[in-house]
Amino acid sequence: MLLEIKNVTVRYERIEALKSVSLRLNEGSMIAILGANGAGKSTLIKTISGLKHPIRGEICFFNQRIDRLSPQKIFALGIVQVPENRKLFPRMSVLENLFMGARALKKKSVLKEELEGVYEYFPILKQRLNQQAGTLSGGEQQMLAIGRALMANPKLMLLDEPSLGLAPIMVEELFHILNKINTSGTTTLLAEQNALKALQLVEGAYVLETGMITISGIAEDVAKDKMIIEAYLGG
Ligand SMILES: Nc1ncnc2c1ncn2[C@@H]1O[C@H](COP(=O)(O)OP(=O)(O)O)[C@@H](O)[C@H]1O
Ligand SMILES: [Mg+2]
């Protein structure tokens, strides 16, 4: 088991944003966390990456407790987050942004190899290397945010709503690339409001509703669930 979340409860001052959430993720697989705005998707991702700590429950990564570790330690273990709204350095070039992704790892020697890997997935980034990140289109910025994460050679990539604000055709292209990245060995956890699209991409899915997992299973079954269809797929 690559990641195991056991009965995790997370609070902000006033509210319990996650209520006894449990989840399992096998090495090599790709799953989705689905849910409406405010359901707790970002909180779950931030709790895995160490930006929030649970008040109850545990998170294990390759059977090691990580829920008390700092974000830096968790990053060093190979868990890399692609944050909501990309969080690029808009005044820096595409290349500088990519290097930022690997910076904390401090191993300069293999960076060339990582860069080539990123260009293979996102050839458009290679054409834009010296352009300021802030001048890229929304889709290209999302590609850069994912490319930056890949520079760290993640064992687990956490994506927070990568499809947000993108045109359907761009979402299609992006998800196709995410599938390739996963197929070549990167375990992926994808938080999405876009349930219809996400369920076509992932193996399994968990549905969060106001901080609780209400439905989980293989993607095919979740897609058939009546509640999901009504809530997200407009059925
Ligand atoms: N920094 C914060 N302080 C207080 N409440 C927050 C904070 N961030 C999120 N919340 C609340 O936690 C709940 C879950 O939010 P979030 O995890 O961002 O959901 P989602 O990503 O699914 O939209 C919401 O009720 C939200 O208002
Ligand atoms: Mg969110």
Side-chain angles (χ1 to χ4, degrees):
M1 190 68 45
L2 181 129
L3 182 76
E4 187 164 19
I5 299 178
K6 288 181 256 181
N7 303 112
V8 156
T9 296
V10 175
R11 282 195 78 87
Y12 295 104
E13 274 165 38
R14 288 252 182 89
I15 61 149
E16 246 172 34
L18 296 177
K19 298 163 192 148
S20 198
V21 165
S22 296
L23 175 158
R24 292 154 72 87
L25 177 54
N26 288 315
E27 194 168 5
S29 69
M30 182 169 191
I31 63 164
I33 310 295
L34 306 175
N37 200 14
K41 302 180 299 299
S42 295
T43 302
L44 181 58
I45 285 195
K46 287 175 189 163
T47 306
I48 299 168
S49 62
L51 297 169
K52 283 289 291 176
H53 295 295
I55 57 162
R56 281 192 295 280
E58 11 183 294
I59 303 179
C60 294
F61 184 61
F62 290 111
N63 300 316
Q64 182 198 341
R65 281 285 290 270
I66 60 165
D67 49 87
R68 295 282 118 201
L69 300 183
S70 67
Q72 292 75 14
K73 288 233 170 79
I74 291 175
F75 176 80
L77 290 174
I79 299 180
V80 179
Q81 182 182 351
V82 181
E84 202 168 9
N85 300 319
R86 291 125 211 179
K87 304 270 177 357
L88 297 169
F89 304 95
R91 311 282 288 273
M92 286 168 49
S93 71
V94 166
L95 187 61
E96 285 166 332
N97 269 277
L98 288 174
F99 276 125
M100 289 304 279
R103 204 181 59 140
L105 293 181
K106 298 189 183 88
K107 39 170 202 174
K108 292 210 168 64
S109 54
V110 289
L111 285 186
K112 228 173 124 61
E113 206 175 293
E114 267 77 48
L115 270 179
E116 287 305 324
V118 170
Y119 300 155
E120 226 167 272
Y121 291 123
F122 304 112
I124 190 80
L125 293 181
K126 195 173 183 180
Q127 295 170 31
R128 304 251 192 279
L129 281 184
N130 299 313
Q131 201 171 315
Q132 280 193 353
T135 66
L136 299 176
S137 75
E140 289 164 357
Q141 291 195 22
Q142 188 61 62
M143 290 175 178
L144 178 53
I146 296 167
R148 183 178 58 180
L150 290 177
M151 289 296 289
N153 254 324
K155 292 194 178 79
L156 169 61
M157 184 163 67
L158 309 169
L159 293 143
D160 197 348
E161 301 215 48
S163 78
L164 205 68
L166 302 185
I169 185 142
M170 184 47 80
V171 175
E172 200 74 46
E173 189 182 339
L174 195 68
F175 278 21
H176 177 69
I177 298 168
L178 289 178
N179 182 51
K180 275 205 224 166
I181 294 170
N182 173 243
T183 306
S184 62
T186 308
T187 309
T188 307
L189 188 148
L190 172 72
E192 265 297 337
Q193 245 172 293
N194 193 340
L196 179 60
K197 272 265 143 280
L199 285 168
Q200 293 169 358
L201 179 67
V202 297
E203 287 153 48
Y206 292 78
V207 177
L208 262 179
E209 283 179 81
T210 55
M212 279 180 289
I213 303 278
T214 50
I215 300 164
S216 65
I218 61 167
E220 232 179 16
D221 292 343
V222 173
K224 281 184 205 142
D225 195 289
K226 195 170 171 294
M227 230 168 70
I228 289 289
I229 293 167
E230 282 168 3
Y232 305 111
L233 311 184

